[in-house]
Amino acid sequence: MAIVTTSFHSQVYEILRKQILQQKFKMGDQINPKEIAEEHGISVMPVRDALLKLVNQDLVTNKPRIGFFVREFSEIETKNIMELRKMYELNCLTEYFDFINRDELKSIYPKICGAGEITREEFNELDSRLHNTFILASNNEFLINQYNKVRDLFILFQYLDSQRDEETNEEHKKIIESILDGDKQLATDCLKLHLDLVYKSIIDNVRKNRING
Ligand code: NI
């Protein structure tokens, strides 16, 4: 029985996580555990467990006696999260430049170039794969685990940076080209510029969401 409950909990967790990341639930939306439980024909307990796990990940907030809400991020919080992301990625790119998986980059590159008809999910998946190569190059399991803990916040923001696909592709191509050319300085500059532009676009969207909401 416990196994079944655990699997309900992790299935509901995955469903809710995806819906939040893909903005099917908008920031600030209330999530009603009872409704979700009824929708999936399960009890409320595993839904609450899944929501508490999402609270732990900073994707959901739990307001006592009011309920669960999709986490909203202020401009300062957005800035701080992007700063953390820059710290991880720029540090790994420069420190472990020689260990970045070139074969992985070569397999991502043509997919970026041919990125006409791909879904938002596939687009973000490629983005994650590219940025992951820098982190994985560290071969440091503590660093990789810490990065993975906050990675969903970066993915959430990727969905907010969705109006600049062509520019993003160009920025990604330049990063890959400079790494494959062995030009560490240029690769660092390109990644820094890319993350600054991502940040700018996310901040614009955070402001817009606030005005519309
Ligand atoms: Ni990117």
Side-chain angles (χ1 to χ4, degrees):
M1 203 59 191
I3 293 166
V4 176
T5 313
T6 310
S7 95
F8 275 154
H9 149 242
S10 53
Q11 281 171 49
V12 174
Y13 166 78
E14 272 311 323
I15 291 167
L16 291 175
R17 176 180 164 269
K18 260 202 173 156
Q19 287 177 330
I20 292 169
L21 293 181
Q22 296 176 358
Q23 325 262 306
K24 289 188 177 130
F25 284 121
K26 301 269 179 260
M27 290 189 188
D29 280 358
Q30 184 161 15
I31 303 179
N32 185 335
K34 237 178 162 177
E35 273 175 21
I36 306 235
E38 276 166 21
E39 192 184 316
H40 297 283
I42 54 175
S43 67
V44 177
M45 205 53 177
V47 179
R48 283 190 64 88
D49 285 347
L51 283 166
L52 288 171
K53 195 172 167 191
L54 290 161
V55 168
N56 213 10
Q57 255 189 295
D58 274 337
L59 289 173
V60 166
T61 47
N62 184 8
K63 296 183 189 166
R65 288 185 295 278
I66 305 176
F68 293 97
F69 295 83
V70 180
R71 177 90 147 82
E72 286 181 286
F73 294 92
S74 68
E75 286 186 37
I76 291 286
E77 286 168 329
T78 307
K79 179 175 174 283
N80 290 345
I81 291 165
M82 280 306 290
E83 194 178 297
L84 182 70
R85 181 174 177 188
K86 265 169 91 173
M87 196 184 86
Y88 273 116
E89 295 189 13
L90 286 170
N91 178 71
C92 286
L93 181 83
T94 51
E95 281 297 311
Y96 310 105
F97 186 78
D98 293 339
F99 303 104
I100 296 169
N101 185 339
R102 267 68 175 171
D103 288 337
E104 172 73 346
L105 294 183
K106 283 177 196 158
S107 109
I108 295 169
Y109 192 84
K111 295 194 177 92
I112 290 174
C113 294
E117 292 300 310
I118 60 170
T119 64
R120 169 73 21 210
E121 213 176 341
E122 287 163 339
F123 189 92
N124 286 341
E125 178 65 36
L126 277 176
D127 191 22
S128 288
R129 268 178 69 190
L130 170 59
H131 289 267
N132 265 343
T133 59
F134 318 140
I135 305 301
L136 293 174
S138 72
N139 202 23
N140 176 335
E141 73 171 289
F142 298 100
L143 192 154
I144 293 166
N145 283 341
Q146 290 301 324
Y147 181 82
N148 283 340
K149 276 186 199 161
V150 284
R151 202 169 61 139
D152 275 349
L153 296 179
F154 307 156
I155 296 175
L156 177 71
F157 286 163
Q158 271 174 24
Y159 280 95
L160 284 177
D161 176 31
S162 61
Q163 280 103 40
R164 347 174 282 122
D165 291 359
E166 266 175 49
E167 291 95 322
T168 304
N169 278 335
E170 285 311 310
E171 290 155 28
H172 284 162
K173 277 200 248 173
K174 279 186 189 144
I175 295 167
I176 296 178
E177 284 161 9
S178 48
I179 296 172
L180 293 177
D181 281 349
D183 193 335
K184 184 157 104 174
Q185 188 55 55
L186 184 61
T188 308
D189 292 344
C190 288
L191 177 61
K192 189 172 178 300
L193 178 68
H194 171 54
L195 292 175
D196 284 340
L197 291 170
V198 170
Y199 167 61
K200 212 181 145 293
S201 157
I202 292 165
I203 278 287
D204 285 347
N205 277 304
V206 166
R207 281 181 192 148
K208 253 185 251 159
N209 279 356
R210 183 145 319 125
I211 292 161
N212 295 335

